[in-house]
């Protein structure tokens, strides 16, 4: 007898029609691993990874010896209530949320509405997981959007271009710098009553000096995804880390 894991491709919709074997197939026995539920954007979906085991959440899960359920949605990490309800209702020992890049690139919120949406998303998750370690992660580096708000478009060179006006930030438009500051503020405010909530600046996973690893100005390369997974594991699963 042996344990078998089947990894489906992460870059395309896949329908599993049938599974056949020439011997008995049994449901796996519990292996003692904790379950980590993660939600994020395309930078957690990792379409550009070299395979389903090359996404940064899977790399990190292997190093942390946990089971990961990756609920990331390319282009659609927008604090949708149904996603919060799904996480609320999914058994989890660890939870992480990577928030901000889609919101800024699509101009989905202003500063006034962004904060309440984050609070509401966290409140819903906490309804089902009041004491589960929860790590809130801000966006990794993206030069085009650091100080300039969205929306975005793909330029003639195939790279991401921000179409917003930096002057609009003063009126409530969101750049990545503003979104990170707001996420850090929210985390700090909630930690007084939620000691299991943690915050990580996404630039710790991929920083401004690694812009060359963003092939289109937004998405990391396959090599960079693996490096992000190692960095996340070193932070989250450290003896004093949020997922210790």
């Amino acid at each position: 007898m042996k344990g078998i894991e089947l990894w489906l491709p992460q870059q395309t919709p896949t329908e599993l029609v049938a599974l056949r074997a020439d011997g008995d197939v049994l449901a796996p026995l519990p292996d003692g691993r904790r379950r980590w539920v993660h939600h994020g954007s395309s930078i957690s979906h990792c379409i550009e990874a070299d395979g389903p085991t090359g996404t940064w959440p899977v790399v990190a899960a292997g190093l942390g010896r946990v089971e990961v359920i990756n609920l990331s949605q390319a282009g659609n990490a927008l604090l949708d209530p149904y996603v919060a309800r799904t996480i609320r209702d999914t058994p989890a020992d660890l939870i992480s949320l990577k928030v901000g890049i889609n919101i800024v690139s699509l101009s989905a919120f202003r500063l006034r509405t962004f904060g309440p949406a984050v609070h509401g998303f966290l409140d819903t998750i906490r309804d089902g997981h009041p004491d589960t370690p929860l790590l809130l992660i801000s966006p990794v580096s993206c030069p085009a959007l650091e100080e300039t708000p969205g929306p975005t478009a793909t330029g003639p060179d195939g790279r991401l271009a921000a179409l917003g006006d930096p002057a609009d930030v003063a009126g409530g438009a969101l750049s990545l710098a503003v979104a990170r500051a707001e996420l850090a503020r929210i985390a700090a405010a909630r930690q007084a009553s939620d000691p299991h909530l943690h915050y990580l600046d996404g630039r710790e996973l991929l920083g401004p000096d690694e812009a060359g690893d963003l092939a289109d100005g937004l998405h990391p390369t396959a090599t960079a995804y693996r490096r992000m997974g190692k960095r996340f594991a070193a932070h989250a699963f450290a003896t004093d880390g949020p997922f210790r």
Side-chain angles (χ1 to χ4, degrees):
M1 297 296 293
K2 63 180 66 176
I4 294 180
E5 290 186 349
L6 177 63
W7 291 87
L8 302 177
Q10 87 286 1
Q11 78 275 29
T12 184
T14 302
E15 180 182 1
L16 186 60
V17 177
L19 182 65
R20 300 183 180 90
D22 58 1
D24 293 336
V25 177
L26 306 177
L29 297 173
D31 59 10
R33 291 183 298 171
R34 294 179 294 168
R35 175 176 285 185
W36 166 32
V37 174
H38 176 71
H39 171 63
S41 67
S42 59
I43 299 173
S44 294
H45 190 152
C46 305
I47 292 173
E48 299 79 14
D50 53 18
T53 58
T55 68
W56 77 256
V58 172
V59 171
L63 294 171
R65 299 181 181 179
V66 299
E67 174 193 8
V68 64
I69 296 179
N70 189 351
L71 300 179
S72 299
Q73 299 171 302
N76 286 280
L78 295 169
L79 301 175
D80 288 316
Y82 83 90
V83 177
R85 293 194 299 270
T86 298
I87 298 172
R88 176 197 65 191
D89 298 338
T90 300
D93 301 297
L94 312 163
I95 300 170
S96 58
L97 309 170
K98 194 167 177 303
V99 176
I101 185 65
N102 291 155
I103 288 166
V104 174
S105 65
L106 294 174
S107 297
F109 291 99
R110 305 282 288 185
L111 181 60
R112 166 64 181 84
T113 53
F114 179 53
V118 174
H119 277 296
F121 201 87
L122 292 172
D123 287 344
T124 298
I125 292 172
R126 281 305 191 212
D127 286 342
H129 300 284
D131 301 315
T132 302
L134 196 163
L135 179 57
L136 181 63
I137 311 168
S138 67
V140 302
S141 292
C142 176
L145 290 168
E146 289 296 331
E147 303 296 337
T148 303
T152 60
T154 302
D157 59 356
R159 296 179 64 82
L160 185 77
L163 305 181
D165 184 349
D168 290 340
V169 170
L174 292 177
S175 65
L176 289 186
V178 173
R180 288 194 198 98
E182 182 66 359
L183 290 170
R185 185 195 67 79
I186 290 170
R190 296 179 67 103
Q191 283 166 342
S193 59
D194 187 353
H196 302 290
L197 175 66
H198 307 271
Y199 174 75
L200 174 64
D201 188 318
R203 292 172 295 184
E204 297 294 321
L205 302 180
L206 192 146
D209 59 336
E210 298 172 290
D213 288 322
L214 303 174
D216 59 356
L218 174 64
H219 299 102
T221 62
T223 299
Y225 279 133
R226 289 187 176 274
R227 188 164 64 246
M228 288 174 61
K230 293 175 182 177
R231 289 175 177 172
F232 181 90
H235 171 80
F237 299 108
T239 55
D240 59 348
F243 291 173
R244 57 187 179 276

Coordinates of all heavy atoms in Angstrom, one line a residue, residues 95-173:
I95 N -5.0 29.9 8.6 CA -5.6 30.7 7.5 C -4.7 31.9 7.1 O -4.1 32.5 8.0 CB -7.0 31.3 7.9 CG1 -7.9 30.1 8.3 CG2 -7.6 32.1 6.8 CD1 -9.2 30.6 9.0
S96 N -4.6 32.1 5.8 CA -3.9 33.3 5.4 C -4.7 34.0 4.3 O -5.3 33.3 3.5 CB -2.4 33.0 5.0 OG -2.4 32.0 3.9
L97 N -4.5 35.3 4.2 CA -5.2 36.1 3.2 C -4.2 37.0 2.6 O -3.6 37.8 3.3 CB -6.4 36.9 3.8 CG -7.4 36.1 4.7 CD1 -8.3 37.1 5.4 CD2 -8.2 35.1 3.8
K98 N -4.1 37.0 1.3 CA -3.2 38.0 0.6 C -4.1 39.0 -0.2 O -4.7 38.6 -1.2 CB -2.3 37.2 -0.3 CG -1.1 38.1 -0.8 CD 0.0 37.2 -1.5 CE 1.1 38.0 -2.0 NZ 0.6 39.1 -3.0
V99 N -4.1 40.2 0.3 CA -5.2 41.2 -0.1 C -4.5 42.4 -0.7 O -3.5 42.9 -0.1 CB -6.0 41.6 1.1 CG1 -7.0 42.6 0.8 CG2 -6.7 40.3 1.7
G100 N -5.1 42.9 -1.8 CA -4.7 44.3 -2.2 C -4.5 44.5 -3.7 O -4.9 45.5 -4.2
I101 N -3.7 43.6 -4.3 CA -3.3 43.9 -5.7 C -4.5 44.0 -6.7 O -4.5 44.9 -7.5 CB -2.3 42.8 -6.2 CG1 -1.7 43.2 -7.6 CG2 -2.9 41.4 -6.2 CD1 -0.9 44.5 -7.6
N102 N -5.5 43.1 -6.6 CA -6.6 43.2 -7.5 C -7.5 44.4 -7.2 O -8.0 45.0 -8.1 CB -7.5 41.9 -7.5 CG -6.8 40.7 -8.0 OD1 -7.1 39.6 -7.7 ND2 -5.8 40.9 -8.9
I103 N -7.6 44.7 -5.9 CA -8.4 45.9 -5.5 C -7.8 47.2 -6.1 O -8.5 48.0 -6.5 CB -8.5 45.9 -4.0 CG1 -9.4 44.8 -3.5 CG2 -9.0 47.2 -3.5 CD1 -9.3 44.5 -2.0
V104 N -6.4 47.3 -6.0 CA -5.8 48.5 -6.5 C -5.8 48.5 -8.1 O -6.1 49.5 -8.7 CB -4.3 48.6 -6.0 CG1 -3.6 49.7 -6.7 CG2 -4.3 48.8 -4.5
S105 N -5.5 47.3 -8.7 CA -5.4 47.3 -10.2 C -6.7 47.5 -10.8 O -6.8 48.0 -12.0 CB -4.8 46.0 -10.6 OG -5.6 44.9 -10.3
L106 N -7.8 47.2 -10.2 CA -9.2 47.3 -10.7 C -9.9 48.6 -10.2 O -11.0 48.8 -10.5 CB -10.0 46.1 -10.5 CG -9.6 44.8 -11.1 CD1 -10.4 43.6 -10.7 CD2 -9.6 44.9 -12.7
S107 N -9.2 49.3 -9.3 CA -9.9 50.5 -8.6 C -11.2 50.0 -8.0 O -12.2 50.7 -8.2 CB -10.1 51.6 -9.6 OG -8.9 52.1 -10.1
A108 N -11.2 48.9 -7.3 CA -12.4 48.3 -6.8 C -12.9 49.0 -5.6 O -14.1 49.0 -5.3 CB -12.2 46.8 -6.5
F109 N -12.0 49.6 -4.8 CA -12.5 50.4 -3.6 C -11.7 51.7 -3.6 O -10.7 51.9 -4.2 CB -12.1 49.6 -2.4 CG -12.9 48.3 -2.1 CD1 -12.4 47.1 -2.5 CD2 -14.2 48.4 -1.6 CE1 -13.1 45.9 -2.3 CE2 -14.9 47.2 -1.4 CZ -14.4 46.0 -1.7
R110 N -12.3 52.6 -2.8 CA -11.6 53.8 -2.3 C -11.1 53.5 -0.9 O -11.5 52.5 -0.3 CB -12.5 55.0 -2.4 CG -13.2 55.3 -3.7 CD -12.3 55.9 -4.7 NE -12.0 57.3 -4.4 CZ -11.3 58.2 -5.2 NH1 -10.7 57.7 -6.3 NH2 -11.1 59.4 -4.8
L111 N -10.3 54.4 -0.4 CA -9.8 54.2 1.0 C -11.0 54.1 2.0 O -11.0 53.3 2.9 CB -8.9 55.4 1.4 CG -8.3 55.3 2.8 CD1 -7.5 54.0 2.9 CD2 -7.4 56.5 3.0
R112 N -12.0 54.9 1.8 CA -13.2 54.9 2.6 C -13.9 53.6 2.7 O -14.4 53.1 3.8 CB -14.2 56.0 2.2 CG -15.6 55.9 2.8 CD -15.6 56.1 4.3 NE -16.9 56.0 4.9 CZ -17.5 54.9 5.2 NH1 -16.9 53.7 5.0 NH2 -18.7 54.9 5.7
T113 N -14.0 52.9 1.6 CA -14.7 51.6 1.5 C -13.8 50.4 1.7 O -14.3 49.3 2.1 CB -15.5 51.5 0.2 OG1 -14.6 51.7 -0.9 CG2 -16.6 52.5 0.1
F114 N -12.5 50.6 1.5 CA -11.6 49.4 1.6 C -11.5 48.9 3.0 O -11.6 47.7 3.3 CB -10.2 49.9 1.1 CG -9.1 48.8 1.2 CD1 -9.3 47.6 0.6 CD2 -7.9 49.1 1.8 CE1 -8.3 46.6 0.7 CE2 -6.9 48.1 1.9 CZ -7.1 46.9 1.3
G115 N -11.3 49.8 4.0 CA -11.2 49.4 5.4 C -12.4 48.6 5.9 O -12.3 47.5 6.4
P116 N -13.6 49.1 5.7 CA -14.8 48.3 6.2 C -14.9 47.0 5.5 O -15.4 46.0 6.1 CB -16.0 49.3 5.8 CG -15.4 50.6 5.9 CD -14.0 50.5 5.4
A117 N -14.5 46.9 4.2 CA -14.6 45.6 3.5 C -13.7 44.6 4.1 O -14.0 43.4 4.2 CB -14.3 45.9 2.0
V118 N -12.5 45.1 4.4 CA -11.5 44.2 5.1 C -12.0 43.7 6.4 O -12.0 42.5 6.8 CB -10.1 44.8 5.2 CG1 -9.2 44.0 6.0 CG2 -9.5 45.2 3.8
H119 N -12.5 44.7 7.2 CA -13.1 44.3 8.5 C -14.2 43.3 8.4 O -14.3 42.3 9.1 CB -13.6 45.6 9.2 CG -12.5 46.3 9.9 ND1 -11.8 45.8 11.0 CD2 -12.1 47.6 9.7 CE1 -10.9 46.7 11.4 NE2 -11.1 47.8 10.7
G120 N -15.1 43.5 7.4 CA -16.2 42.6 7.2 C -15.8 41.2 6.8 O -16.3 40.2 7.3
F121 N -14.8 41.2 5.9 CA -14.3 39.9 5.5 C -13.7 39.1 6.7 O -13.9 37.9 6.9 CB -13.2 40.2 4.4 CG -12.9 39.0 3.5 CD1 -13.6 38.8 2.4 CD2 -11.8 38.1 3.8 CE1 -13.3 37.7 1.5 CE2 -11.5 37.1 3.0 CZ -12.3 36.9 1.8
L122 N -12.9 39.8 7.5 CA -12.3 39.2 8.7 C -13.3 38.8 9.7 O -13.3 37.7 10.3 CB -11.3 40.1 9.3 CG -10.0 40.4 8.5 CD1 -9.2 41.5 9.1 CD2 -9.2 39.2 8.3
D123 N -14.3 39.6 9.9 CA -15.4 39.3 10.8 C -16.1 38.0 10.4 O -16.4 37.2 11.3 CB -16.4 40.5 10.9 CG -15.9 41.7 11.6 OD1 -14.9 41.6 12.3 OD2 -16.5 42.8 11.5
T124 N -16.4 37.9 9.2 CA -17.1 36.7 8.7 C -16.3 35.4 8.9 O -16.8 34.4 9.4 CB -17.5 36.8 7.2 OG1 -18.3 37.9 7.0 CG2 -18.1 35.5 6.7
I125 N -15.0 35.5 8.6 CA -14.1 34.3 8.8 C -14.0 34.0 10.3 O -14.1 32.8 10.7 CB -12.7 34.6 8.3 CG1 -12.7 34.7 6.8 CG2 -11.7 33.6 8.8 CD1 -11.4 35.2 6.2
R126 N -13.9 35.0 11.2 CA -13.9 34.8 12.6 C -15.1 34.2 13.2 O -15.1 33.6 14.2 CB -13.5 36.1 13.3 CG -12.0 36.5 13.2 CD -11.2 35.4 13.8 NE -9.8 35.7 14.0 CZ -8.8 34.8 13.8 NH1 -9.1 33.6 13.4 NH2 -7.6 35.1 14.1
D127 N -16.3 34.4 12.5 CA -17.5 33.7 13.0 C -17.3 32.2 13.0 O -18.0 31.6 13.8 CB -18.7 34.1 12.0 CG -19.2 35.5 12.2 OD1 -18.9 36.1 13.3 OD2 -19.9 36.0 11.3
G128 N -16.5 31.7 12.1 CA -16.3 30.2 12.1 C -15.0 29.8 12.7 O -14.8 28.6 13.0
H129 N -14.0 30.7 12.7 CA -12.7 30.4 13.2 C -12.2 31.5 14.2 O -11.3 32.2 13.9 CB -11.7 30.3 12.0 CG -12.1 29.2 11.0 ND1 -11.9 27.9 11.2 CD2 -12.6 29.4 9.8 CE1 -12.3 27.2 10.1 NE2 -12.7 28.1 9.2
P130 N -12.8 31.5 15.4 CA -12.5 32.6 16.3 C -11.1 32.7 16.8 O -10.6 33.8 17.1 CB -13.5 32.5 17.4 CG -13.9 31.0 17.3 CD -13.9 30.6 15.9
D131 N -10.5 31.5 16.9 CA -9.1 31.5 17.5 C -8.1 30.9 16.6 O -6.9 30.7 17.0 CB -9.2 30.6 18.8 CG -10.1 31.2 19.8 OD1 -10.1 32.4 20.0 OD2 -10.9 30.4 20.4
T132 N -8.4 30.6 15.3 CA -7.4 30.1 14.4 C -6.4 31.1 14.0 O -6.7 32.2 13.7 CB -8.2 29.6 13.1 OG1 -9.2 28.7 13.4 CG2 -7.2 29.0 12.1
P133 N -5.1 30.7 14.0 CA -4.1 31.7 13.5 C -4.4 32.2 12.1 O -4.7 31.4 11.2 CB -2.8 30.8 13.5 CG -3.0 29.8 14.6 CD -4.5 29.5 14.5
L134 N -4.4 33.5 11.9 CA -4.8 34.1 10.7 C -3.8 35.1 10.3 O -3.6 36.1 11.1 CB -6.2 34.7 10.8 CG -7.0 35.1 9.5 CD1 -8.5 35.3 9.8 CD2 -6.4 36.3 8.8
L135 N -3.2 34.9 9.2 CA -2.1 35.8 8.7 C -2.6 36.7 7.5 O -3.0 36.2 6.5 CB -0.9 35.0 8.3 CG 0.3 35.8 7.7 CD1 0.8 36.8 8.7 CD2 1.4 34.8 7.3
L136 N -2.6 38.0 7.7 CA -3.1 38.9 6.7 C -1.8 39.4 6.0 O -0.9 40.0 6.7 CB -3.8 40.1 7.4 CG -4.4 41.2 6.5 CD1 -5.4 40.7 5.5 CD2 -5.0 42.3 7.3
I137 N -1.8 39.3 4.7 CA -0.6 39.6 3.9 C -0.9 40.7 2.9 O -1.9 40.6 2.2 CB -0.1 38.4 3.1 CG1 0.0 37.1 4.0 CG2 1.3 38.6 2.5 CD1 0.2 35.8 3.3
S138 N -0.1 41.7 2.9 CA -0.3 42.8 1.9 C 0.4 42.4 0.6 O 1.1 41.4 0.5 CB 0.3 44.1 2.5 OG 1.7 44.1 2.6
P139 N 0.2 43.2 -0.5 CA 0.8 42.9 -1.8 C 2.3 42.9 -1.8 O 3.0 43.6 -1.1 CB 0.2 44.0 -2.7 CG -1.0 44.5 -2.0 CD -0.7 44.4 -0.5
V140 N 2.8 42.0 -2.7 CA 4.2 42.0 -3.0 C 4.5 43.3 -3.9 O 3.6 44.0 -4.3 CB 4.7 40.7 -3.8 CG1 4.4 39.5 -3.0 CG2 4.0 40.7 -5.2
S141 N 5.8 43.5 -4.2 CA 6.1 44.7 -4.9 C 5.6 44.6 -6.4 O 5.5 43.6 -7.0 CB 7.6 44.8 -5.0 OG 8.1 45.2 -3.7
C142 N 5.1 45.8 -6.8 CA 4.6 45.9 -8.2 C 4.9 47.4 -8.6 O 4.1 48.3 -8.2 CB 3.1 45.6 -8.3 SG 2.5 45.9 -10.0
P143 N 6.0 47.7 -9.3 CA 6.5 49.0 -9.5 C 5.4 50.0 -10.1 O 5.3 51.1 -9.7 CB 7.6 48.9 -10.4 CG 8.2 47.5 -10.1 CD 7.0 46.7 -9.8
A144 N 4.6 49.5 -11.0 CA 3.6 50.4 -11.7 C 2.6 50.9 -10.7 O 2.1 52.0 -10.9 CB 2.9 49.6 -12.8
L145 N 2.3 50.2 -9.6 CA 1.2 50.6 -8.8 C 1.6 51.0 -7.4 O 0.8 51.3 -6.5 CB 0.2 49.4 -8.6 CG -0.6 49.0 -9.9 CD1 -1.3 47.7 -9.7 CD2 -1.6 50.1 -10.2
E146 N 2.9 51.1 -7.2 CA 3.3 51.4 -5.8 C 2.8 52.8 -5.4 O 2.3 53.0 -4.2 CB 4.9 51.4 -5.7 CG 5.5 50.0 -5.8 CD 5.1 49.2 -4.6 OE1 4.8 49.7 -3.5 OE2 5.0 47.9 -4.8
E147 N 2.9 53.8 -6.2 CA 2.4 55.1 -5.9 C 1.3 55.6 -6.8 O 0.8 56.7 -6.5 CB 3.6 56.1 -5.9 CG 4.8 55.7 -5.0 CD 4.5 55.8 -3.6 OE1 3.5 56.5 -3.2 OE2 5.2 55.1 -2.8
T148 N 1.0 54.9 -7.8 CA 0.0 55.3 -8.8 C -1.2 54.4 -8.7 O -1.1 53.1 -8.7 CB 0.5 55.2 -10.2 OG1 1.7 56.1 -10.3 CG2 -0.5 55.7 -11.2
P149 N -2.4 54.9 -8.5 CA -3.6 54.0 -8.5 C -4.0 53.4 -9.8 O -3.5 53.9 -10.9 CB -4.7 55.0 -8.0 CG -4.3 56.3 -8.4 CD -2.8 56.3 -8.4
G150 N -4.8 52.4 -9.8 CA -5.3 51.8 -11.0 C -6.4 52.7 -11.6 O -6.7 53.8 -11.1
P151 N -7.1 52.2 -12.6 CA -7.0 50.9 -13.2 C -5.8 50.7 -14.0 O -4.9 51.6 -14.1 CB -8.3 50.8 -14.1 CG -8.5 52.3 -14.5 CD -8.1 53.1 -13.3
T152 N -5.6 49.5 -14.5 CA -4.4 49.1 -15.2 C -4.7 48.6 -16.6 O -5.9 48.3 -16.9 CB -3.6 48.0 -14.5 OG1 -4.4 46.8 -14.3 CG2 -3.2 48.5 -13.1
A153 N -3.7 48.6 -17.4 CA -3.8 48.0 -18.8 C -2.5 47.4 -19.1 O -1.4 47.7 -18.5 CB -4.2 49.1 -19.8
T154 N -2.4 46.6 -20.1 CA -1.2 46.0 -20.6 C -0.6 46.9 -21.7 O -1.3 47.3 -22.7 CB -1.4 44.6 -21.2 OG1 -1.9 43.8 -20.2 CG2 -0.1 44.0 -21.7
G155 N 0.6 47.4 -21.5 CA 1.2 48.3 -22.5 C 1.7 47.6 -23.7 O 1.6 46.4 -23.8
P156 N 2.2 48.4 -24.7 CA 2.7 47.8 -25.9 C 3.8 46.8 -25.7 O 4.1 46.0 -26.5 CB 3.2 49.1 -26.7 CG 2.4 50.2 -26.1 CD 2.3 49.9 -24.7
D157 N 4.6 47.0 -24.6 CA 5.7 46.1 -24.3 C 5.2 44.9 -23.6 O 6.1 44.1 -23.2 CB 6.7 46.9 -23.5 CG 6.2 47.4 -22.2 OD1 5.0 47.3 -21.9 OD2 7.0 48.0 -21.4
G158 N 3.9 44.7 -23.4 CA 3.4 43.5 -22.7 C 3.5 43.6 -21.2 O 3.2 42.7 -20.5
R159 N 3.8 44.8 -20.6 CA 4.0 45.0 -19.2 C 2.8 45.8 -18.6 O 2.2 46.6 -19.4 CB 5.3 45.6 -18.9 CG 6.5 44.8 -19.3 CD 7.8 45.5 -18.9 NE 8.0 45.7 -17.5 CZ 8.4 44.7 -16.7 NH1 8.7 43.5 -17.1 NH2 8.6 45.0 -15.4
L160 N 2.6 45.6 -17.4 CA 1.5 46.3 -16.7 C 1.8 47.8 -16.7 O 2.9 48.2 -16.4 CB 1.4 45.8 -15.3 CG 0.2 46.3 -14.5 CD1 -1.1 45.6 -14.9 CD2 0.4 46.1 -13.0
A161 N 0.7 48.6 -16.9 CA 0.8 50.0 -16.8 C -0.4 50.5 -16.0 O -1.5 50.1 -16.2 CB 0.8 50.6 -18.2
A162 N -0.1 51.5 -15.1 CA -1.1 52.1 -14.3 C -1.7 53.3 -15.0 O -1.0 54.1 -15.5 CB -0.6 52.4 -12.9
L163 N -3.0 53.4 -15.0 CA -3.7 54.5 -15.7 C -4.2 55.6 -14.8 O -4.7 56.6 -15.3 CB -4.9 53.9 -16.5 CG -4.5 52.8 -17.5 CD1 -5.8 52.3 -18.2 CD2 -3.4 53.2 -18.5
G164 N -4.1 55.4 -13.5 CA -4.6 56.4 -12.6 C -3.7 57.6 -12.4 O -2.6 57.6 -13.0
D165 N -4.1 58.5 -11.7 CA -3.4 59.8 -11.4 C -2.9 59.7 -10.0 O -3.7 59.7 -9.1 CB -4.3 61.0 -11.7 CG -3.6 62.3 -11.5 OD1 -2.4 62.3 -11.1 OD2 -4.2 63.3 -11.9
P166 N -1.6 59.8 -9.8 CA -1.1 59.8 -8.4 C -1.7 60.9 -7.5 O -1.8 60.8 -6.3 CB 0.4 60.0 -8.6 CG 0.7 59.5 -10.0 CD -0.5 59.8 -10.8
A167 N -2.1 62.0 -8.1 CA -2.7 63.1 -7.4 C -4.1 62.7 -6.8 O -4.5 63.3 -5.8 CB -2.9 64.3 -8.3
D168 N -4.7 61.6 -7.3 CA -6.0 61.2 -6.8 C -5.9 60.5 -5.5 O -6.9 60.2 -4.8 CB -6.7 60.3 -7.8 CG -7.2 61.1 -9.0 OD1 -7.3 62.3 -8.9 OD2 -7.4 60.4 -10.1
V169 N -4.6 60.1 -5.1 CA -4.4 59.4 -3.8 C -4.9 60.2 -2.7 O -5.4 59.8 -1.7 CB -3.0 58.9 -3.7 CG1 -2.7 58.4 -2.3 CG2 -2.6 57.8 -4.7
A170 N -4.6 61.5 -2.8 CA -5.0 62.4 -1.7 C -6.5 62.5 -1.5 O -7.0 62.8 -0.4 CB -4.5 63.8 -2.0
G171 N -7.3 62.1 -2.5 CA -8.7 62.1 -2.4 C -9.3 60.8 -2.1 O -10.5 60.6 -2.1
G172 N -8.4 59.8 -1.9 CA -9.0 58.5 -1.5 C -8.7 57.3 -2.4 O -9.1 56.2 -2.2
A173 N -8.1 57.6 -3.6 CA -7.7 56.5 -4.5 C -6.6 55.6 -3.8 O -5.8 56.1 -3.1 CB -7.2 57.0 -5.8

